Amino acid sequence: MEYFVGTFWAFVPAIVAIVLALITKQVYLSLFVGIFTGAMFLAGGNPAEALSNLFITMGNQLGGNGGILIFLVILGIFAVLMVKTGGSKAYGEWASAKIKTKAGAELATVGLGTLIFVDDYFNCLTVGSAMRPVTDKHKISHAKLAYLIDATAAPICIIAPISSWAAAVAGYAGDNGIVTFIKTIPFNMYALLTIGFMVVSVLLKLDFFKMKRNEKIAQTTGDLNAGETDLPTEDVKAEGNVRGKVINLVFPIVTLIACCVGAMIFNGYFYNWDTGVIGTELQSEGVLEAFSNCDAGSALAFGSFVALVITFIFYVCTRAITFKNFMSSIAEGFKSMVPAILILTFAWTLGAIMGAKGEGVDETGKAILDGTLNAKAFVQANITADSMALGIIPFVFFILACFISFATGTSWGTFGVLIPISTAVMSATTNEGLFFLTMSAVLAGAVYGDHVSPISDTTIMASSGAQCNHIDHVKTQFPYATIVALISGITYLIVGFITATDIGSSYGASAGITLAFGFGLLAACLVGLFFMDRKGIVDKMDNAIGGFFAKLSQKPSARPIEDTIQGSNEVDNEIEALRKNDE
């Protein structure tokens, strides 16, 4: 056990789970194998002990995240109710009349996702429920919808001062945490550039690689999942011959938003972290502090339950649904969320065994044995200011945050590991610009890793909200997110050295230089991608990559979707030639 704790081996279970998921497309099995691998490390190879500890850890995670699970179930119930009352269909018809184009539907999705900035879980499932009828009307693939949802979840929350994410960062940042968080916003390149990239790519109708193929299949054949095995869909129908109304969808969503925001504020004012219960004594002095102090899971569960009760009264009074069908919707809503809950449970368990938050190292520098693989200790033991040039520190922390968040599937866990370390490393410098650039690099890298990780809870819920095959969502959004991450990394590398000098050492100068470099590189990249796409260069790259992997797997390539759909002779000849080569 001691051999694995606090070493690079702490990340191996996640690597096993991710690689298996991408190869087999069996998410449940892959996650369980990763969890079991970590449990075996901790148990010294004893399978009985490993399995026992595995299920104990899983039970603890279910208990600790009970509020989030209740919130998910209630959102599933809302989704079923909005279908049964005809609200989803009516809203889709109304929105289709107002939104005339595919780009308009995508921008409306981005707009709604931007407005729901309080919590990423809430964002993913609410935007999916509201916008799926609209995007389906315009034949937008579920993979594209999942990307738009995911890209307006964590990237929006991490730059919103009033959000559960702001509260998490403020908690790790120490005194005046909210002020510190607000000062990181201009430096958070991944979040800001993701929003810019997403909006411009929609306006330019710029899609590439597997996302482009999915979109063309959706537009040509109407198959919104590109033939991938889908998550369970809402196969419920509107009750009887009831004529659905837009208000049957709008009222529940508005009520849900209002109740959840109110519950988070109420929870933050009265939740006592020492006792773990709501009391009568004020714990916060203002709204911002209340958001920072709230327990988001229990607040969302409470708020969504109150919203469900209000919605029940509204539906029954307006005769939108019968009492019997309302009650049956509870079980149906729960069933619709079972896949997401199962994947989340496995992902939480994997993160707990790896010890992303861990206990770190003791005063002698030795990893603490805390019942986890203590991934935090490995990072603490290997990152010091003396081991690198001052200007490269932001870039190094960005790369570390990307890796840790991707491997563990948790940006919040990455915050817990790296924010204290980055603060300690940068405490020796009086360079304010470099301090905030480094902290922002941690936040940006953590959000990227969370965005693309197959075992991230936000990624899982974005798939669920869009009713998209989970692995398909991971594969289609990976190039989009990675392009933005590369631009962000280059920005942190260049600006880090500029900020380390007197020219950019002040907060204002450093922020201005960072924004100018980041958005300048993004504009250049988008212009280049646009012309490469119009000239077919991107498609040729995609075909070349696909052909390479097809040869590796001894399978014929069937890449260009235009030719696949239309039965092009050129593609048929290419496939036949590949078959002969394979033989």
Side-chain angles (χ1 to χ4, degrees):
M1 173 182 174
E2 291 187 26
Y3 175 77
F4 297 106
V5 172
T7 68
F8 182 77
W9 286 99
F11 295 97
V12 170
I15 296 171
V16 169
I18 291 168
V19 171
L20 275 179
L22 294 174
I23 293 174
T24 67
K25 297 186 179 181
Q26 299 299 319
V27 182
Y28 307 131
L29 175 64
S30 302
L31 284 171
F32 187 82
V33 170
I35 294 167
F36 184 69
T37 301
M40 286 289 283
F41 287 169
L42 287 171
N46 184 326
E49 182 183 338
L51 279 174
S52 296
N53 289 332
L54 184 158
F55 288 112
I56 289 172
T57 302
M58 189 176 293
N60 292 335
Q61 291 303 304
L62 284 170
N65 292 286
I68 294 298
L69 297 180
I70 293 169
F71 176 61
L72 286 177
V73 170
I74 293 176
L75 284 179
I77 297 169
F78 267 104
V80 170
L81 285 172
M82 287 186 287
V83 174
K84 280 195 172 185
T85 58
S88 294
K89 182 179 179 182
Y91 178 78
E93 292 171 350
W94 174 83
S96 295
K98 301 293 181 182
I99 300 172
K100 302 295 185 180
T101 64
K102 178 174 178 281
E106 292 177 346
L107 288 175
T109 304
V110 173
L112 182 60
T114 303
L115 289 174
I116 304 176
F117 54 79
V118 175
D119 185 78
D120 55 327
Y121 293 173
F122 185 34
N123 181 303
C124 289
L125 294 164
T126 305
V127 175
S129 298
M131 295 307 301
R132 195 165 58 251
V134 181
T135 56
D136 285 357
K137 286 279 186 180
H138 288 277
K139 295 183 179 180
I140 296 170
S141 69
H142 285 178
K144 185 61 177 290
L145 175 60
Y147 166 68
L148 296 176
I149 293 171
D150 212 350
T152 52
I156 292 294
C157 291
I158 198 62
I159 56 173
I162 301 178
S163 70
S164 57
W165 285 59
V169 174
Y172 293 125
D175 295 337
N176 297 318
I178 286 291
V179 175
T180 300
F181 171 81
I182 292 172
K183 284 190 172 183
T184 65
I185 294 174
F187 297 94
N188 198 323
M189 282 294 94
Y190 182 75
L192 296 171
L193 297 181
T194 292
I195 297 166
F197 182 89
M198 181 171 48
V199 172
V200 175
S201 63
V202 167
L203 293 174
L204 294 178
K205 300 178 182 179
L206 181 62
D207 287 309
F208 41 86
F209 301 142
K210 194 175 190 303
M211 185 75 83
K212 185 174 184 178
R213 299 198 300 275
N214 281 25
E215 284 290 277
K216 289 189 175 180
I217 289 174
Q219 291 291 311
T220 308
T221 70
D223 180 2
L224 302 181
N225 288 291
E228 300 281 355
T229 303
D230 198 12
L231 288 170
T233 56
E234 297 169 350
D235 55 357
V236 292
K237 305 294 182 184
E239 183 185 357
N241 296 316
V242 67
R243 183 177 177 81
K245 298 178 181 178
V246 174
I247 192 67
N248 291 342
L249 178 138
V250 174
F251 181 85
I253 290 179
V254 171
T255 304
L256 188 63
I257 293 171
C259 289
C260 285
V261 173
M264 292 180 75
I265 295 172
F266 170 77
N267 184 285
Y269 270 119
F270 296 103
Y271 183 74
N272 188 318
W273 283 92
D274 294 328
T275 61
V277 295
I278 296 289
T280 56
E281 199 172 315
L282 278 175
Q283 302 294 318
S284 306
E285 294 182 357
V287 174
L288 286 178
E289 188 178 344
F291 268 101
S292 178
N293 186 59
C294 82
D295 176 24
S298 61
L300 289 173
F302 172 55
S304 59
F305 176 77
V306 172
L308 184 63
V309 172
I310 296 172
T311 300
F312 165 73
I313 296 170
F314 171 77
Y315 279 160
V316 172
C317 289
T318 58
R319 298 184 179 180
I321 194 172
T322 64
F323 177 79
K324 180 180 178 181
N325 271 346
F326 189 97
M327 291 299 107
S328 67
S329 299
I330 295 175
E332 292 179 50
F334 185 94
K335 285 192 295 184
S336 71
M337 284 297 170
V338 167
I341 289 172
L342 187 56
I343 296 174
L344 275 175
T345 301
F346 283 165
W348 286 332
T349 306
L350 180 61
I353 286 178
M354 291 171 61
K357 296 179 180 179
E359 295 295 331
V361 296
D362 59 22
E363 57 277 357
T364 66
K366 186 177 180 181
I368 298 171
L369 300 177
D370 58 357
T372 74
L373 292 172
N374 203 347
K376 180 178 180 178
F378 172 76
V379 179
Q380 280 186 318
N382 290 276
I383 301 298
T384 61
D386 298 332
S387 61
M388 64 190 87
L390 197 61
I392 205 174
I393 289 177
F395 176 74
V396 170
F397 272 99
F398 176 74
I399 297 299
L400 277 172
C402 290
F403 173 75
I404 294 172
S405 185
F406 180 81
T408 60
T410 167
S411 48
W412 286 23
T414 305
F415 297 157
V417 172
L418 289 183
I419 288 178
I421 297 174
S422 66
T423 303
V425 168
M426 298 307 298
S427 61
T429 179
T430 57
N431 189 320
E432 188 180 23
L434 197 60
F435 176 87
F436 286 107
L437 186 69
T438 303
M439 181 173 286
S440 298
V442 171
L443 303 184
V447 171
Y448 165 71
D450 182 273
H451 196 178
V452 298
S453 175
I455 60 175
S456 161
D457 44 10
T458 310
T459 309
I460 294 163
M461 279 188 281
S463 302
S464 181
Q467 291 294 321
C468 175
N469 175 271
H470 180 56
I471 298 302
D472 194 40
H473 169 45
V474 172
K475 287 182 176 180
T476 50
Q477 83 164 358
F478 184 82
Y480 289 58
T482 301
I483 287 171
V484 178
L486 289 172
I487 296 171
S488 302
I490 293 169
T491 302
Y492 286 124
L493 183 61
I494 295 172
V495 177
F497 283 101
I498 295 174
T499 305
T501 67
D502 291 337
I503 298 173
S505 60
S506 70
Y507 175 83
S510 182
I513 293 169
T514 304
L515 288 169
F517 261 96
F519 280 97
L521 289 173
L522 177 66
C525 178
L526 283 168
V527 169
L529 283 171
F530 179 78
F531 284 106
M532 288 172 66
D533 179 63
R534 294 302 182 265
K535 292 183 178 295
I537 297 173
V538 175
D539 288 341
K540 289 178 182 178
M541 292 169 58
D542 187 26
N543 296 336
I545 294 170
F548 172 75
F549 283 109
K551 288 179 181 179
L552 284 181
S553 59
Q554 294 297 305
K555 292 180 181 179
S557 175
R559 304 299 292 180
I561 194 61
E562 302 99 324
D563 298 337
T564 303
I565 295 171
Q566 299 171 11
S568 166
N569 291 330
E570 181 181 348
V571 173
D572 291 340
N573 294 337
E574 182 184 350
I575 292 173
E576 186 61 32
L578 282 170
R579 284 201 185 102
K580 289 180 180 179
N581 289 337
D582 289 341
E583 290 170 2

